[in-house]
Amino acid sequence: MRRKPGTLLPLEFDILEAGIGLERFHGFQLAKALADQSGPRRLTAHGTLYKALQRLEDGGLLSSQWEDPEVAAAEGRPRRRLYQVTGLGEQALSASRASPGVTRPRPRLGPA
Amino acid sequence: MSAADRAAALVSWWVATYTRQLPGEVGERRRAEIASDLWEHRSAGRQDRTAAILVAWSILWRMAAGMPADLRWRSGQLAAAHRAPPPERERWLLQALARNWWLVLAGLVGMTEVVVGAAIVLGAATATGTGPTERAGPTVGGGILILGAGLIVLLGILWRRRSPNAGMVLIVAGAIPALLLSPWSFPLAVVVVAGLAFVLTVRAGGRDARGRSAPQLAMRLGSHATALSVLYLVLAGRVPVWPGLALLGLLAVGYGLRRRDRPT
């Protein structure tokens, strides 16, 4: 989907909004939150979700790091990549909410 | 193995497939993130007591719906990897080549003249069996001339470090006989033209022998002259089309290297 510079795609808007509520989150947790946020719906597709996360991180709206491997090993699961909305991400979200004419989130998110 | 596990295995195979040939860290991160996602998805299914077949269906749907994005992401990552700046050593080599490519040509001219000149002299000597004779005299003389010209070119290349101006004069003088060798050597006129332009620019008040303006003008004139002469030779049927086009391709690479070397 093409966008105007400085605007958020609907999925990006949803991710930032959900991310602020979750503080630190991993991919599946976010997919669950996005699904719960707008009623019963499918989880966001892998490719769509992780591509959007990387795009937001490249733009400085999210930051991420791998969790401590010892924590993951203690719980017997793979390491999680933990994301966090940055100050820039919060600003972008606020601007997107305030500015008229910017792309608004759709009621239901499909694969982008 | 449950249906959800089989679906997860299929997704892992798909992820391994589309992350193949990507830069190590990029592919590894995506594989690790999806592996974590798959684990969490199945774990959540178990906690919610969702039927394994429904979890499997959800996993497969997420894979299938995300495939176009996966492929676009892969394509973007590959393109970014190709755009990445080359390693320091490679960049240094490219810059050195971009600055000195015509000197490489001069070296080729000099060595060609040496080899051809030596071959003419030796050929004449072999033909007579006992050495140069009266009949072979002019041929041997020509060979010696070409051989000497080649040595002058090579000497000029070495001399440039001490005196760029004098070195260029030697290169230009030594390269002139190469023009007469064959139509193939004509494009090598770049060396002559470039050297001449350099000398003239310096004499006309170009900054200095090591200044940038003179070599830049020399390179520009020389490369344009070479491109035009190759084009002429191809169009006039003096050389076969494909080798001519290959030469033009080499020149295009030279242009590209110069543009790449240009400060932004």
Side-chain angles (χ1 to χ4, degrees):
Chain A
M1 177 188 282
R2 299 275 176 207
R3 71 166 110 187
K4 292 177 189 170
T7 60
L8 294 173
L9 294 177
L11 177 59
E12 293 169 346
F13 183 97
D14 286 342
I15 289 174
L16 291 176
E17 199 165 52
I20 285 174
L22 294 169
E23 292 191 5
R24 292 185 84 193
F25 55 92
H26 57 84
F28 180 75
Q29 190 181 7
L30 177 67
K32 263 307 243 172
L34 290 174
D36 295 342
Q37 197 168 280
S38 49
R41 48 168 289 224
R42 291 182 193 278
L43 297 169
T44 309
H46 297 131
T48 311
L49 179 66
Y50 290 100
K51 193 175 168 211
L53 284 171
Q54 187 179 347
R55 205 164 52 231
L56 289 169
E57 191 176 357
D58 290 344
L61 308 187
L62 289 179
S63 63
S64 76
Q65 61 181 43
W66 289 109
E67 73 171 341
D68 187 346
E70 288 181 9
V71 174
E75 295 182 14
R77 57 172 173 73
R79 273 192 312 167
R80 293 166 173 166
R81 183 89 187 176
L82 297 172
Y83 292 85
Q84 198 164 11
V85 179
T86 63
L88 199 62
E90 289 183 28
Q91 285 174 23
L93 187 62
S94 303
S96 188
R97 282 179 181 139
S99 303
V102 299
T103 312
R104 289 292 177 195
R106 294 167 294 188
R108 277 175 62 94
L109 292 175
Chain B
M1 185 185 260
S2 70
D5 292 335
R6 281 196 290 274
L10 183 65
V11 174
S12 298
W13 171 82
W14 165 243
V15 177
T17 301
Y18 76 74
T19 55
R20 198 168 293 159
Q21 294 174 335
L22 290 181
E25 195 182 330
V26 174
E28 181 55 39
R29 173 174 167 176
R30 173 58 69 96
R31 287 190 290 273
E33 278 202 281
I34 299 290
S36 168
D37 186 299
L38 292 169
W39 191 93
E40 302 286 351
H41 198 157
R42 282 172 290 164
S43 173
R46 283 191 295 272
Q47 283 178 4
D48 297 345
R49 297 178 185 280
T50 307
I53 189 72
L54 293 180
V55 174
W57 174 248
S58 175
I59 288 173
L60 290 176
W61 182 88
R62 291 182 72 199
M63 175 186 75
M67 278 178 167
D70 287 332
L71 295 176
R72 282 197 302 272
W73 174 80
R74 173 186 165 79
S75 165
Q77 294 300 319
L78 282 174
H82 288 137
R83 278 196 306 271
E88 196 58 39
R89 181 176 164 75
E90 190 187 337
R91 195 158 53 225
W92 180 84
L93 282 173
L94 285 173
Q95 285 174 350
L97 186 60
R99 274 195 297 271
N100 301 311
W101 64 273
W102 73 270
L103 264 185
V104 175
L105 274 183
L108 280 175
V109 167
M111 285 190 284
T112 305
E113 285 179 329
V114 168
V115 170
V116 171
I120 290 172
V121 172
L122 290 174
T126 308
T128 59
T130 55
T133 63
E134 197 172 319
R135 184 170 162 271
T139 310
V140 171
I144 290 172
L145 180 71
I146 293 171
L147 178 66
L151 291 174
I152 288 174
V153 170
L154 298 178
L155 182 67
I157 292 172
L158 295 175
W159 205 260
R160 274 186 77 254
R161 298 179 74 85
R162 181 171 294 184
S163 168
N165 223 347
M168 292 306 298
V169 171
L170 288 175
I171 292 173
V172 171
I176 287 172
L179 297 175
L180 311 173
L181 289 178
S182 76
W184 274 97
S185 63
F186 191 70
L188 298 178
V190 63
V191 177
V192 178
V193 177
L196 216 53
F198 180 87
V199 173
L200 289 176
T201 309
V202 171
R203 281 179 179 275
R207 287 176 203 169
D208 59 38
R210 288 177 185 274
R212 297 292 171 258
S213 62
Q216 280 169 358
L217 176 63
M219 281 179 64
R220 197 178 303 129
L221 288 175
S223 53
H224 290 352
T226 306
L228 287 174
S229 61
V230 173
L231 198 60
Y232 162 76
L233 289 170
V234 171
L235 292 176
R238 299 286 300 275
V239 294
V241 173
W242 289 112
L245 289 178
L247 266 176
L248 284 174
L250 278 173
L251 283 167
V253 170
Y255 276 105
L257 286 173
R258 278 173 46 203
R259 291 184 70 83
R260 186 174 177 163
D261 188 41
R262 200 169 291 164
T264 54

